Amino acid sequence: MKETVAPNARPSLDAICESLHTEMAKKPGVALWLAVDGGFQDLPDTLSALQDKAVPDRFSVTLLHPDIPRHWQPTWYALHLERPSDSDLLRASVELALAELQSDTLRAGDGRRIAGWLQIAGSVGEVAARIGRAMVQMHPDGHGSLLRWHDPAVLWALWPLLDSTQQATWLGSVQCWYLLDPLGCLAALHADKDSNTDVVSEVGVHAFSAHQWTNIGHIKAFNHGLRQYLSQPEVGRPDLAQLHEVCMAALRRARALNFHDPGDLAVFAEHALCVHPYFDIHPLVQAVLKERDTDAYYSGVVAQLSVTDWQVVHAS
């Protein structure tokens, strides 16, 4: 994964559009595919022209999951950027993607409709079908689990959890999947050139190890903690990869402490990112953890700590 804008620059609509235009100019005549989460039907008027596109410039990603109605399936739209109308659609999609990153929107649970922009080699229909199949995985407990690749917050957090062969296998003929990271910068997901893409030609329904499933189960808590962290004043431009690593490690420690409630994990992640990466080993926190009942909730246990206690932990 890499950023396609300067690491110290603040992301802007113009900079992101320029980056995508520059990348696609290297492949004249090739379409950039706009991926839209199908669960959101009411797109702004600036994107209404997408509804006029038909096959071969429009493909649905079929998700074979019983809880996903057909009209919620994600949709990909071809943007030919040499056409002014499609260039306008790209700009409108980037503008919407940036707006969807606002903390008030995320806290309201409105979700993110713009899943990203894809460079695809080969048959787009085959790629869409392949990714649709890959998004439904068999969880170790025996139930089918939908991996929401079309939520950028999920895909961005999932990507570092995969090894290079898995990344190459999952992308298949997608040469690059662009999305906005949590800071609103354009990130490019692509396979490592040295990865062995011949090892697995199709993503099976048992694609992950038990360890990976544990980390995947922590993505929602991590995203909560990250939103809280980024909402703080003057956080600057943090190292997102480091925050991801720190928080995932903290959430594994939470599991080891026998905290499994989703709300508890979200608070634990928030404390790891907003208080201290190793807050849970501080003597003040250790004292209340050791005194807890075995079935106690984490949020209730640490409620015993005062504001002054948390300040001490933060400063350690």
Side-chain angles (χ1 to χ4, degrees):
M1 186 189 309
K2 66 176 182 179
E3 289 181 346
T4 60
V5 296
N8 293 319
R10 297 304 302 173
S12 72
L13 174 61
D14 289 339
I16 293 168
C17 290
E18 182 179 355
S19 292
L20 289 170
H21 272 278
T22 298
E23 291 299 319
M24 296 311 296
K26 301 173 185 176
K27 301 174 184 283
V30 175
L32 180 68
W33 289 83
L34 167 62
V36 179
D37 192 339
F40 303 93
Q41 300 299 307
D42 298 323
L43 291 172
D45 291 341
T46 53
L47 288 170
S48 60
L50 290 175
Q51 304 304 318
D52 298 329
K53 289 184 177 289
V55 176
D57 283 349
R58 175 177 181 167
F59 277 96
S60 292
V61 180
T62 302
L63 305 178
L64 300 178
H65 192 284
D67 295 333
I68 306 297
R70 186 168 183 80
H71 67 276
W72 277 27
Q73 311 285 0
T75 307
W76 295 353
Y77 301 93
L79 301 181
H80 301 274
L81 299 187
E82 68 277 9
R83 302 174 185 170
S85 58
D86 279 7
S87 180
D88 289 344
L89 285 172
L90 171 64
R91 185 177 182 84
S93 69
V94 173
E95 186 173 28
L96 178 58
L98 286 168
E100 289 173 339
L101 278 169
Q102 299 302 311
S103 57
D104 289 346
T105 300
L106 294 173
R107 275 196 286 267
D110 292 338
R112 295 170 65 179
R113 289 164 287 186
I114 303 302
W117 305 268
L118 286 61
Q119 284 185 7
I120 298 175
S123 167
V124 176
E126 290 179 6
V127 174
R130 186 175 183 280
I131 286 197
R133 291 191 296 270
M135 286 172 66
V136 180
Q137 288 290 308
M138 187 62 66
H139 194 275
D141 67 8
H143 74 273
S145 181
L146 177 66
L147 292 179
R148 287 185 47 77
W149 271 56
H150 278 75
D151 183 340
V154 173
L155 179 53
W156 176 86
L158 171 65
W159 196 249
L161 304 179
L162 308 180
D163 61 39
S164 60
T165 298
Q166 288 174 316
Q167 290 175 350
T169 302
W170 277 71
L171 283 180
S173 297
V174 177
Q175 295 178 321
C176 193
W177 188 311
Y178 298 100
L179 53 76
L180 297 190
D181 72 14
L183 293 176
C185 292
L186 188 64
L189 311 184
H190 51 74
D192 187 330
K193 292 180 180 179
D194 297 326
S195 61
N196 184 359
T197 57
D198 295 329
V199 172
V200 182
S201 59
E202 180 80 13
V203 180
V205 296
H206 299 281
F208 302 117
S209 67
H211 177 73
Q212 286 177 315
W213 272 114
T214 297
N215 286 327
I216 290 169
H218 292 159
I219 288 176
K220 185 174 182 179
F222 162 66
N223 279 326
H224 167 84
L226 186 61
R227 285 196 302 272
Q228 298 303 113
Y229 176 84
L230 294 177
S231 69
Q232 298 177 118
E234 300 180 1
V235 294
R237 190 173 164 78
D239 184 336
L240 291 177
Q242 183 180 32
L243 294 178
H244 183 279
E245 182 178 351
V246 163
C247 194
M248 287 294 177
L251 287 166
R252 289 192 294 271
R253 296 198 303 274
R255 292 277 187 182
L257 290 167
N258 205 34
F259 295 122
H260 303 285
D261 176 74
D264 277 350
L265 294 176
V267 175
F268 205 98
E270 181 179 342
H271 289 163
L273 295 180
C274 298
V275 179
H276 192 284
Y278 300 100
F279 76 95
D280 49 305
I281 65 174
H282 190 281
L284 288 173
V285 180
Q286 282 284 301
V288 295
L289 289 177
K290 289 178 180 178
E291 294 174 0
R292 77 185 192 279
D293 295 332
T294 55
D295 58 349
Y297 286 90
Y298 169 75
S299 53
V301 171
V302 297
Q304 304 172 54
L305 298 173
S306 66
V307 172
T308 302
D309 289 336
W310 283 117
Q311 290 172 341
V312 170
V313 176
H314 177 70
S316 63

